[in-house]
Structure formats: structure tokens, C-alpha cells
Amino acid sequence: MFGGTNPLAVQGVDNYGLRRTNLLASITVTNSGPSALQPPVINEWMADNAGPGGLPDPVDGLFQDWFELFNPNTNTFNLSGYYLTDDLDQPAKWRIPTNTFLAGSGYLLVWADNQPEQNGLSPDGDLHANFQLSAVAKPSACSLRMG
């Protein structure tokens, strides 16, 4: 069930498993608890990041490709066990590190720089994926999925 009002129909049956038309009730359930978590989304990306107007990677100062994840929920979302890819034929190309959390209504920058060894070095908690985006060859596909 989801947060808010949810209709529920109850049908009575007899000892033989036959539905009794005179034993039918409609109930409205109001769930005031939190709704199911929505998955984070890729809401912004840059496949041709360049200076001087671009965004430099704080770890090495280079202008590399990046994309941003957004958590549409008010609660923190645990990204552990999720994968990112730039190739839909390889959906589990890069596993997000364990204990990576995305704050409620928060953003997380992922550098698509093919330098995952830089994870844990960013002062802002940015991630570094093991692939790069392409602004030239073919439209880049980027996806987030649960493993």
C-alpha cells in the first residue's frame, strides 16, 4: 500500500469456495505512514566538461565528464548494491561502493572519469565511476539499477 487513501474490496465465500454476492464490502484504508521510497534519478550530466566555464574535479583538477544523482525522497537513500553504467548491454558495469548514502532531497556528483581509485579522496564525497561518457561517438546511455 502507498501513503494516502487506498480502496480495498472484500468478497465473502461460502464453505465450498463460491463467492456470495450478498457478502461484499468496500473498505477505505488511509495509510498515514511514509510512502514507498522512490528510486534516485540521474537528473543532470555533462559529457563534454571543459574549462574555463566547466566544473573541475576537486581531486585532480581535470575537467572530466560527470553526472548527478538526485534523491526525490525526504529520507536518506542507501545506494549500496546499486550499479551505474554507460552501456545498457552491461547494466552492472560499476557497483556503487558500500555505505554510500544519498541524503533526503540531496544530490551526489559522480565523475565518469574511469578513475574509481579516486573514490574516498573527494572533500565533497563525490564518486568516481569506471567509465567515461561520450559527447561525440554515440549518445551516452547512463543508468542506475539495483543489483
Side-chain angles (χ1 to χ4, degrees), residues 81-107:
Y82 280 80
Y83 291 85
L84 292 165
T85 189
D86 66 335
D87 184 347
L88 297 179
D89 291 332
Q90 296 178 349
K93 191 168 187 178
W94 184 69
R95 189 174 195 273
I96 295 175
T98 302
N99 295 323
T100 300
F101 297 92
L102 185 50
S105 301
Y107 300 89

Side-chain angles (χ1 to χ4, degrees), residues 8-140:
L8 178 65
V10 179
Q11 172 74 59
V13 294
D14 63 19
N15 290 340
Y16 302 102
L18 301 174
R19 293 181 186 195
R20 301 290 306 263
T21 57
N22 62 335
L23 299 176
L24 179 63
S26 294
I27 302 170
T28 300
V29 178
T30 302
N31 184 357
S32 59
S35 298
L37 287 178
Q38 299 296 313
V41 295
I42 297 168
N43 70 313
E44 193 173 344
W45 69 89
M46 176 59 71
D48 192 15
N49 187 20
L55 181 65
D57 179 348
V59 174
D60 57 21
L62 299 175
F63 292 88
Q64 298 159 319
D65 303 337
W66 56 267
F67 55 94
E68 184 177 71
L69 299 178
F70 170 67
N71 179 1
N73 304 289
T74 55
N75 297 337
T76 298
F77 196 98
N78 186 351
L79 290 168
S80 302
Y82 280 80
Y83 291 85
L84 292 165
T85 189
D86 66 335
D87 184 347
L88 297 179
D89 291 332
Q90 296 178 349
K93 191 168 187 178
W94 184 69
R95 189 174 195 273
I96 295 175
T98 302
N99 295 323
T100 300
F101 297 92
L102 185 50
S105 301
Y107 300 89
L108 177 64
L109 196 66
V110 180
W111 293 94
D113 58 4
N114 205 23
Q115 296 175 320
E117 68 276 4
Q118 291 184 352
N119 281 314
L121 302 178
S122 173
D124 302 320
D126 301 346
L127 296 178
H128 294 262
N130 70 344
F131 56 83
Q132 294 175 286
L133 303 179
S134 172
V136 183
K138 64 177 182 174
S140 293

